[in-house]
Amino acid sequence: SSSSSSSSSCVVVCGAGVIGASIAYHLSLRGVHCLVVDRCPPATGASGKAGGFLAKDWCDTSALKHFARKSFELHQELAVTFGDKYGYRRLDTLSLAAAAPELHRRAKKAKLTSLPEWLDGYASASSVMGSIDTTAQVHPELFTKTVLNAAIENGSTFRQGEVQNIVRSAGGAVSGVVVDGETIPTDTLVIAMGPWSSLAAEWLPIPKVTTIKAHSIVLVPPKPVRRTPSLLTINWRTTNGSTPRYTLDPTVQCMYVASQSPCRCLLERSMCCLLKEPVNGCQPLLGNSPAHFAHRNSGQLKLASCPSLPTISRS
């Protein structure tokens, strides 16, 4: 927060995820130098493990309509600026209701010519969620690092460290930030720490941020999957009656499978919990998931992660 700019101090951005990196980049285009601070390397959290999905009009019924549409257009402009550094691509997005193999007898085979050739399995319903005009995808980790590196080339800096507190002037305005015991002068502070933004509530009156846990895996199929302009989301009915949602992204070398916990959970204060989290939470994705739709044979597990996603109350 700031009421004026100062030539003697930079903007301090707390968080080196996609939001913090993007803010630093766009400020650097305007000649504003930023110091980006994070306890971990860039894109360690959800910004490096999400699906990187972009939708133009899915927020049209909410207050985020204009932001979402502008973001979608901006991604297209950035893809021209940076080229093919982070896999930006327009694609068709399909939705499928499917069942576990044990429930195949009660499911009907989908008879849709629009389904991609790599899809193999039983479906009860499907629909088109978006086209190449309204949906796209990027590699989230590569995108985050690309824009942050561009900000650094424009004069900004990245520092790995922990933001511990803020310093206020006699009038109450922000005058500095404490990083690993060192006070760094600034009158402009950006909180972009994802779910860890809730920790900043100890210093600033910000909205309460809660956490939703997600699970994702990256599989390497035994045979290469031809890259297609299609993304598939599946409401997957399991034998225990639950219906998690998965995202299948076929690329040349891997298959991305993800599901999201329907409930909020406690936030690990230390990122070490994320970096060392066991694969147990991802076992359902391996043992009973629509990954079998992509290939009849099991794929090799390349990566398993359980990132924390930020969310705030709609009120």
Side-chain angles (χ1 to χ4, degrees):
S1 60
S2 173
S3 58
S4 64
S5 61
S6 172
S7 59
S8 62
S9 63
C10 63
V11 173
V12 175
V13 179
C14 303
V18 63
I19 301 299
S22 180
I23 290 174
Y25 168 69
H26 287 96
L27 286 178
S28 73
L29 296 180
R30 292 156 176 80
V32 179
H33 294 174
C34 296
L35 170 63
V36 182
V37 183
D38 200 303
R39 289 181 294 182
C40 296
T44 297
S47 293
K49 300 175 176 63
F53 183 68
L54 313 172
K56 179 180 181 179
D57 55 3
W58 287 13
C59 294
D60 276 3
T61 59
S62 76
L64 297 177
K65 172 182 177 180
H66 299 295
F67 287 105
R69 285 180 169 267
K70 180 61 179 177
S71 175
F72 191 81
E73 296 170 1
L74 188 57
H75 269 288
Q76 185 175 7
E77 296 173 11
L78 291 175
V80 175
T81 300
F82 293 115
D84 190 25
K85 290 186 177 181
Y86 48 82
Y88 174 86
R89 62 188 180 121
R90 294 291 191 96
L91 42 73
D92 296 317
T93 304
L94 310 175
S95 177
L96 189 70
E102 294 85 348
L103 304 175
H104 279 177
R105 294 181 181 179
R106 285 173 276 176
K108 296 180 180 179
K109 183 77 172 184
K111 297 179 179 180
L112 295 169
T113 58
S114 60
L115 292 180
E117 62 181 22
W118 48 265
L119 182 64
D120 178 30
Y122 289 85
S124 57
S126 68
S127 63
V128 177
M129 301 177 67
S131 68
I132 58 174
D133 296 323
T134 60
T135 51
Q137 190 178 34
V138 298
H139 188 297
E141 180 181 2
L142 295 181
F143 173 77
T144 302
K145 292 181 177 180
T146 295
V147 294
L148 181 58
N149 288 337
I152 293 173
E153 292 174 0
N154 292 339
S156 296
T157 56
F158 169 73
R159 174 172 173 174
Q160 188 167 335
E162 182 177 357
V163 178
Q164 299 169 319
N165 207 337
I166 63 172
V167 180
R168 295 182 181 272
S169 64
V174 173
S175 61
V177 60
V178 180
V179 179
D180 293 336
E182 176 188 355
T183 300
I184 300 173
T186 184
D187 60 5
T188 306
L189 178 66
V190 178
I191 303 298
M193 304 190 300
W196 287 272
S197 296
S198 59
L199 301 179
E202 300 174 3
W203 326 316
L204 299 167
I206 62 174
K208 182 180 180 181
V209 181
T210 55
T211 304
I212 292 180
K213 179 69 70 175
H215 297 87
S216 65
I217 59 175
V218 175
L219 296 173
V220 179
K223 296 181 180 179
V225 178
R226 185 176 66 86
R227 187 181 181 93
T228 65
S230 299
L231 187 75
L232 185 69
T233 64
I234 300 178
N235 288 320
W236 181 253
R237 186 160 57 95
T238 65
T239 53
N240 63 9
S242 62
T243 310
R245 172 169 290 186
Y246 298 83
T247 300
L248 289 178
D249 170 30
T251 63
V252 175
Q253 298 178 335
C254 64
M255 181 71 63
Y256 176 84
V257 184
S259 71
Q260 183 171 299
S261 171
C263 58
R264 291 174 174 80
C265 56
L266 294 176
L267 178 67
E268 306 92 343
R269 192 176 181 97
S270 172
M271 283 290 289
C272 297
C273 297
L274 287 181
L275 299 177
K276 300 178 181 179
E277 189 163 9
V279 187
N280 295 343
C282 297
Q283 285 299 331
L285 299 182
L286 289 167
N288 189 15
S289 79
H292 300 290
F293 277 75
H295 204 284
R296 291 183 182 277
N297 300 316
S298 299
Q300 178 184 356
L301 178 64
K302 180 179 180 180
L303 176 67
S305 60
C306 305
S308 298
L309 308 178
T311 180
I312 61 174
S313 170
R314 291 185 178 272
S315 60

